């Protein structure tokens, strides 16, 4: 059994000022009264004491004359007293007081309250008291969500601006991230989320994120590795400014790094003699040679592919000819007379066909030899094409290295040409070599990034295998189907429009939809506030009925703020409205559906209604626990105001 509300407690500015508003768990309780008597604060105080981030209690008498608020939650034989100090600003108090008590215990005195529990800790304690499993991880967009009391309250409140809102079905649905949180957590509260499967799904999501981040990490490490083309260009510059002697052949990378280290320590020699040949021109000639090789190999590949195509055409034609000749080779040679051919049917001699049969056999033999030769040549042609493609790849890599060297050399030469003399050019080259070597040293000494791609990929595969077919969607669809039947039944009891058709909860759009022969009709397209109110009540009652019957950890209370407002005139002044006729009957019908649901689930579910209307019919009249009408009545006792004045 999860929690219900046993009382709302207010502590005044004076030590002896304590006001307790009791509620009976498992019952329908109605607080009715005039406007500005503090009725709405019942819902906002409950929200505040259950860990609200903001301070929802509105400015007015309640704020002015109360120094602390409290809610007593009861779950079986246990009771949780949760209190929170009032705030002098719009910012919520960051700490709460939580006291575990036996059920039925009175609230403690104000001097016994110790506001020392941080908000996040208090939320966790309230969450656990209500039976919500915080260890369940629900994968969401970009993170894993753990259900809490704050998520449960989406389904436990209906404020004045929500209870008949055609665009929003649930509490706080229109605020920031709330819609996504409602979609993500409702399957858990309904029982569609398997905790073990949710854990595996959360681990799979994390593993996929780790694999993506690791790929970026490896790419970053690869970018930090010194480019060989840059090293070659710096060696060429060092030779140009005579920091190094000309090299007989292109050095490998270790030798190149050693030459660059030598260049830093060298002093330029014979500064007046320019180099024999421009290194940039050498690189350009090298590039032209590589391009020529590439184009030659590309032409070669084209010729080989054409030859391969011709061979294929020839083989097809030859095989067709072979089949035709074979079909004509019906005549065979008589064993007793090789000079004569025999009919394949009766074996009688056919002397005139001997020459034809011999010619057919010769042609078939020749075709077989040609096909065998061309087939062998085709395999060799494919091998040559693959070898040519490999040469192309090598040339492409050489072109990339050449371009790197050209870019680095061109950048160095542009900088060097701006220097006044050869000595300054040499110093500039030495400076850039020093910077390059420092970068190379950092890359060599930095801890290597271990490649975990294979391990992460294997883990993802194992988790995917362990999850197998995801049955959560099937369970959720099955549960919603049962809940939709409850919504439809209650909508028909309320005599709502479209209730003669199946009604369903659309979790994706967070609304209810009537499936009519003309197509689906969502709540926002239904007319009249009476329908909006009725479908809100039918949906919330059905969700609580399901959760109570299935013993799901959703708090067993529903607070409705002013259901009768849809019947008020636009110029309503806040006094007690007198409803007559159809309006009165419809409102009483709504209260009858609420009372029937509470009675069906008794003592496992309670509904608290805050009302302006005051009806004399049942079940309204017997469910009223407070009637605040006239001067001096309200949530805050008039004596507190008089004392303060």
């Amino acid at each position: 059994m999860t929690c219900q509300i046993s009382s709302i407690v207010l502590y005044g500015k004076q030590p002896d000022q304590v006001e307790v508003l009791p509620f009976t768990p498992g019952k329908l309780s109605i607080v009715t009264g005039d406007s500005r008597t503090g009725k709405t604060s019942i819902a906002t105080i409950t929200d505040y004491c259950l860990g609200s981030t903001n301070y929802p209690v509105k400015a007015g008498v309640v704020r002015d004359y109360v120094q602390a608020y409290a809610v007593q939650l009861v779950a079986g034989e246990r009771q949780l007293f949760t209190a929170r100090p009032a705030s002098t600003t719009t910012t919520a108090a960051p700490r709460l007081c939580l006291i575990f008590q036996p059920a039925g215990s009175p609230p403690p005195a104000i001097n016994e309250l110790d506001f020392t529990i941080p908000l996040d800790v208090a939320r966790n304690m309230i969450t656990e008291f209500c039976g919500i499993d915080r260890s369940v991880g629900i994968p969401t967009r970009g993170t894993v969500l753990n259900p809490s009391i704050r998520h449960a309250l989406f389904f436990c409140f209906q404020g004045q601006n929500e209870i008949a809102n055609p665009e929003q079905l649930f509490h706080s649905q229109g605020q920031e991230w709330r819609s996504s949180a409602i979609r993500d957590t409702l399957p858990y509260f309904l029982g569609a989320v398997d905790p073990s499967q949710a854990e595996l799904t959360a681990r799979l999501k994390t593993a996929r994120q780790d694999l993506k981040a690791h790929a970026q990490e490896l790419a970053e490490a690869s970018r930090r590795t010194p480019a060989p083309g840059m090293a070659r260009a710096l060696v060429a510059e060092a030779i140009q400014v005579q920091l190094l002697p000309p090299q007989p052949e292109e050095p490998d990378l270790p030798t190149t790094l050693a030459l660059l280290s030598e260049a830093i320590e060298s002093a330029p020699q014979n500064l007046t003699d320019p180099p024999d040949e421009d290194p940039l021109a050498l690189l350009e000639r090298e590039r032209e040679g590589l391009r020529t090789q590439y184009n030659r190999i590309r032409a070669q590949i084209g010729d080989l592919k054409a030859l391969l195509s011709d061979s294929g055409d020839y083989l097809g034609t030859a095989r067709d000819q072979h089949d035709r000749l074979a079909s004509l080779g019906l005549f065979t040679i008589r064993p007793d007379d090789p000079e004569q051919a025999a009919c394949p049917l009766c074996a009688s001699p056919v002397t005139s066909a001997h020459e034809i049969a011999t010619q057919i056999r010769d042609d078939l033999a020749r075709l077989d030899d040609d096909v065998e030769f061309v087939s062998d040549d085709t395999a060799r042609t494919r091998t040559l094409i693959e070898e040519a493609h490999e040469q192309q790849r090598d040339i492409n890599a050489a072109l990339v290295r050449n371009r790197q060297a050209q870019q680095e050399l061109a950048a160095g030469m542009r900088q060097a040409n701006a220097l006044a003399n050869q000595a300054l050019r040499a110093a500039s080259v030495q400076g850039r070599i020093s910077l390059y070597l420092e970068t190379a040293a950092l890359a060599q000494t930095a801890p290597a990034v271990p490649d975990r791609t294979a391990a992460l990929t294997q883990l993802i595969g194992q988790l995917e295998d362990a999850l197998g077919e995801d049955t959560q969607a099937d369970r959720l669809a099955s549960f919603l189907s049962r809940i939709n039947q409850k919504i439809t039944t209650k909508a028909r009891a309320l005599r709502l429009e479209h209730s003669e058709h199946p009604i369903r909860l659309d979790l994706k759009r967070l609304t209810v939809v009537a499936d009519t022969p003309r197509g689906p009709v969502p709540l926002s397209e239904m007319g009249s506030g009476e329908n909006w109110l009725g479908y809100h009540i039918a949906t919330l009652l059905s969700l609580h009925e399901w959760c109570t019957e299935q013993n799901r950890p959703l708090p067993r209370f529903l607070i409705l703020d002013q259901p009768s407002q849809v019947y008020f005139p636009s110029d309503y002044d806040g006094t007690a409205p007198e409803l007559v006729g159809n309006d009165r009957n419809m409102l009483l019908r709504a209260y009858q559906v609420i009372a029937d649901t509470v009675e069906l689930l008794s003592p496992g579910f309670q509904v608290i209604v805050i009302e302006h209307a005051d009806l004399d019919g049942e079940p309204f009249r017997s469910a009223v626990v407070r009637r605040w009408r006239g001067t001096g009545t309200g949530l805050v006792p008039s004596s507190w105001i008089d004392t303060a004045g």
Side-chain angles (χ1 to χ4, degrees):
M1 181 175 182
T2 188
C3 63
Q4 298 184 52
I5 299 173
S6 61
S7 67
I8 303 292
V9 184
L10 277 65
Y11 292 91
K13 301 289 185 175
Q14 304 299 322
D16 58 341
Q17 293 178 339
V18 180
E19 178 69 10
V20 180
L21 178 59
F23 296 104
T24 304
K27 296 293 184 181
L28 167 63
S29 301
I30 301 174
V31 176
T32 182
D34 295 332
S35 183
R36 295 183 296 276
T37 54
K39 301 185 306 296
T40 297
S41 295
I42 294 173
T44 56
I45 288 171
T46 304
D47 186 22
Y48 183 56
C49 291
L50 296 184
S52 172
T53 302
N54 57 12
Y55 188 31
V57 181
K58 303 302 181 184
V61 172
V62 177
R63 271 200 194 183
D64 293 341
Y65 296 97
V66 177
Q67 66 166 321
Y69 313 96
V71 173
Q72 286 184 302
L73 302 176
V74 61
E77 299 301 319
R78 301 179 304 141
Q79 185 168 288
L80 176 63
F81 173 87
T82 169
R84 199 169 183 183
S87 177
T88 56
T89 65
T90 57
T91 302
R95 297 182 180 276
L96 288 78
C97 171
L98 269 64
I99 301 175
F100 291 92
Q101 306 170 312
S105 299
I110 185 66
N111 57 6
E112 298 177 23
L113 305 186
D114 187 10
F115 299 103
T116 57
I117 301 178
L119 177 60
D120 55 344
V121 176
R123 282 180 176 174
N124 290 340
M125 294 172 66
I126 298 171
T127 297
E128 293 176 0
F129 181 81
C130 293
I132 301 171
D133 188 354
R134 287 279 299 167
S135 65
V136 174
I138 302 174
T140 60
R141 298 171 182 82
T143 185
V144 176
L145 184 149
N146 302 109
S148 73
I149 183 62
R150 299 307 305 171
H151 301 120
L153 295 182
F154 293 141
F155 317 106
C156 298
F157 286 112
Q158 286 281 281
Q160 284 188 39
N161 61 340
E162 296 169 337
I163 195 167
N165 190 328
E167 304 293 338
Q168 298 174 16
L169 185 61
F170 297 106
H171 176 59
S172 300
Q173 180 177 327
Q175 299 180 25
E176 299 176 358
W177 46 264
R178 269 71 168 186
S179 294
S180 297
I182 292 170
R183 294 188 192 95
D184 294 333
T185 57
L186 183 56
Y188 163 76
F189 288 112
L190 296 182
V193 176
D194 182 353
S196 60
Q197 190 177 46
E199 180 184 0
L200 290 176
T201 304
R203 289 179 59 194
L204 177 60
K205 185 180 184 67
T206 301
R208 286 172 174 165
Q209 292 173 342
D210 288 346
L211 180 60
K212 183 178 180 181
H214 183 58
Q216 295 175 345
E217 186 181 19
L218 290 177
E220 181 63 26
S222 177
R223 285 193 295 270
R224 291 196 300 263
T225 303
M230 184 183 297
R232 290 177 55 199
L234 289 172
V235 168
E237 284 191 80
I239 294 172
Q240 184 184 27
V241 297
Q242 302 181 36
L243 292 172
L244 291 173
Q247 300 299 308
E249 59 184 15
E250 181 178 338
D252 56 17
L253 182 57
T255 305
T256 301
L257 294 176
L259 288 172
L260 292 177
S261 298
E262 179 183 340
I264 293 179
E265 304 298 330
S266 299
Q269 302 294 326
N270 194 15
L271 297 178
T272 59
D273 295 333
D276 294 335
E277 192 165 6
D278 185 0
L280 194 58
L282 290 174
L283 289 172
E284 186 60 37
R285 281 202 300 274
E286 178 189 17
R287 187 170 189 83
E288 289 300 324
L290 291 171
R291 285 175 174 168
T292 300
Q293 293 180 47
Y294 185 88
N295 291 331
R296 185 176 65 253
I297 293 173
R298 183 172 61 181
Q300 180 183 356
I301 291 174
D303 293 340
L304 289 171
K305 287 184 176 179
L307 177 60
L308 188 63
S309 177
D310 293 341
S311 298
D313 294 341
Y314 174 77
L315 284 173
T317 302
R319 289 191 178 100
D320 292 342
Q321 182 66 13
H322 181 280
D323 294 340
R324 287 194 295 271
L325 290 175
S327 67
L328 294 174
L330 297 173
F331 296 104
T332 59
I333 303 300
R334 290 171 57 90
D336 57 344
D337 187 356
E339 297 300 324
Q340 290 187 356
C343 176
L345 300 177
C346 64
S348 61
V350 185
T351 56
S352 62
H354 180 272
E355 183 179 349
I356 296 173
T358 302
Q359 182 64 38
I360 288 174
R361 286 196 303 273
D362 292 344
D363 289 344
L364 283 172
R366 185 171 56 258
L367 279 173
D368 288 339
D369 292 340
D370 290 346
V371 167
E372 182 179 359
F373 175 78
V374 173
S375 297
D376 293 341
D377 192 54
T378 298
R380 175 59 181 163
T381 302
R382 294 184 187 277
T383 302
L384 291 175
I385 290 175
E386 181 57 33
E387 291 175 352
H389 279 305
E390 183 64 29
Q391 292 176 10
Q392 273 190 323
R393 287 190 287 270
D394 293 340
I395 292 173
N396 276 330
L399 284 169
V400 171
R401 293 193 298 271
N402 179 277
R403 174 56 62 190
Q404 289 177 335
Q406 278 189 325
Q407 290 174 345
E408 181 63 23
L409 185 58
M413 292 181 67
R414 285 194 299 270
Q415 184 176 0
N417 289 335
L419 301 178
N421 53 53
Q422 190 77 352
L424 290 177
R425 291 179 60 195
S428 174
V429 172
Q430 285 180 318
R432 289 190 298 109
I433 290 174
S434 176
L435 179 61
Y436 173 81
L437 290 178
E438 288 178 5
T439 305
L442 285 175
Q444 292 174 356
T445 58
V449 177
D451 191 348
R452 300 186 294 119
T453 304
L456 288 172
T457 302
Q458 181 181 9
L459 175 61
I460 289 172
Q462 292 173 347
L463 291 172
E464 288 175 341
D465 292 341
L467 280 169
E469 183 181 356
D470 186 5
T471 59
Q472 176 176 322
D474 292 338
R475 287 197 302 272
L476 180 60
S478 175
F479 295 168
L480 286 177
S481 176
R482 300 280 299 278
I483 294 169
N484 291 339
Q485 294 176 16
K486 297 178 182 294
I487 297 175
T488 302
T489 299
K490 289 177 172 51
R492 290 171 181 172
L494 291 168
R495 302 180 189 177
L496 302 177
E497 291 184 18
H498 309 291
S499 62
E500 68 274 17
H501 307 296
I503 308 298
R504 59 183 168 87
L505 173 60
D506 187 335
L507 189 55
K508 182 178 180 180
R509 293 188 292 173
L510 297 182
T511 188
V512 287
V513 178
D515 289 320
T516 73
R518 299 179 301 280
V521 180
L523 182 63
S524 59
E525 295 181 13
M526 298 180 188
S528 88
E530 187 171 275
N531 285 321
W532 303 335
L533 169 68
Y535 279 112
H536 275 250
I537 291 175
T539 302
L540 271 296
L541 289 177
S542 297
L543 288 176
H544 277 276
E545 184 176 322
W546 170 267
C547 291
T548 304
E549 291 173 344
Q550 302 301 317
N551 197 29
R552 297 302 304 159
L554 188 68
R556 299 286 194 265
F557 64 83
L558 176 62
I559 299 179
L560 306 176
D561 192 351
Q562 199 177 324
S564 62
Q565 63 181 289
V566 298
Y567 304 106
F568 297 168
S570 58
D571 59 350
Y572 172 64
D573 61 2
T575 59
E578 293 185 6
L579 298 180
V580 296
N582 289 334
D583 289 350
R584 177 180 180 278
N585 293 336
M586 172 56 193
L587 187 58
L588 282 176
R589 200 156 43 237
Y591 276 104
Q592 188 62 59
V593 170
I594 295 172
D596 289 345
T597 303
V598 172
E599 181 65 26
L600 173 68
L601 303 176
S602 179
F605 176 56
Q606 74 175 154
V607 177
I608 298 173
V609 184
I610 302 159
E611 262 295 9
H612 281 313
D614 198 350
L615 305 177
D616 59 357
E618 294 294 349
F620 188 98
R621 181 172 52 197
S622 60
V624 173
V625 296
R626 285 289 189 277
R627 184 175 280 106
W628 292 328
R629 303 205 182 275
T631 305
T633 60
L635 181 63
V636 176
S638 58
S639 59
W640 293 12
I641 302 173
D642 296 339
T643 302

